[in-house]
Each structure stands twice: as C-alpha cells, then as structure tokens.
Amino acid sequence: LVDEQPGAERPTQFTKGTLSFAGSGDHSRGTHVFVALAPSTTLGAQPWEVPFGTVREDSMSVVEAFTSQYGDVAQGPLVGGGAAYAQANYPEMAVMQRCVVEGEE
C-alpha cells in the first residue's frame, strides 16, 4: 500500500482499471474502494486517493457491467447504515466479495 504521509511517493496518474481507496480528507480512508473507468490525471493528487491494485484487462468487462445509476453516493449515510442501508437504498450496487492477488490463487 502507498503511505498516506505527506511527501510519500505515489503514482501521479490513474489508468483504466486502477483500484483505489476512496476518501474525503486526511486519514479518511476506510473500506470503500473504487475502480477508475478511464485514465485520470486528477485522481491520485490527494494523499487519501491511494491506489492498491489494478483490475486485469481480461476482467474489466465485469467492472464495466456494474451499474452507474447511483452516481457518486454520499458516504456518511452509507458508512453509518452499513450493508443494510446499502441494500435498502442501492439494491443494484456492486459489492466486492473476493479479491485475489495474482500468483497467490
């Protein structure tokens, strides 16, 4: 993982398929992650936007099938209400159930 400390070395550009922690300020990372759907030169500029992996190219079709009908979801109610809140309010939201480190399958 990339250190959140100021001055820590980090990638300067997200590419399609970059997996990153989501955050909203210093030390705000939790368990929410996102996948970059296109290259971005603006993501990764903040210390809490920390990439930790990449979706394999042959698996991006799965990510591209996720629904985008909810847009950016407000994190406060989602964090406070947990899985029950998410299921009640965003029933089509994708949930990561498994992550495999290549070479360790």
Side-chain angles (χ1 to χ4, degrees):
L1 296 177
V2 179
D3 195 346
E4 187 174 308
Q5 297 304 313
E9 188 175 323
R10 58 176 38 49
T12 57
Q13 182 176 15
F14 280 41
T15 58
K16 182 177 180 177
T18 298
L19 285 162
S20 177
F21 285 104
S24 60
D26 290 339
H27 307 290
S28 64
R29 291 190 317 237
T31 58
H32 294 112
V33 299
F34 67 91
V35 180
L37 299 177
S40 173
T41 56
T42 58
L43 289 172
Q46 302 300 325
W48 53 84
E49 296 170 340
V50 180
F52 64 88
T54 305
V55 175
R56 289 187 342 203
E57 190 174 326
D58 64 344
S59 298
M60 275 305 293
S61 62
V62 174
V63 173
E64 290 165 345
F66 293 169
T67 185
S68 61
Q69 66 183 332
Y70 306 122
D72 285 337
V73 175
Q75 298 299 299
L78 191 59
V79 171
Y85 176 86
Q87 183 60 39
N89 293 278
Y90 309 104
E92 301 299 317
M93 181 182 285
V95 176
M96 186 184 310
Q97 296 183 8
R98 182 171 176 253
C99 181
V100 176
V101 176
E102 255 188 81
E104 297 184 13
E105 287 131 30

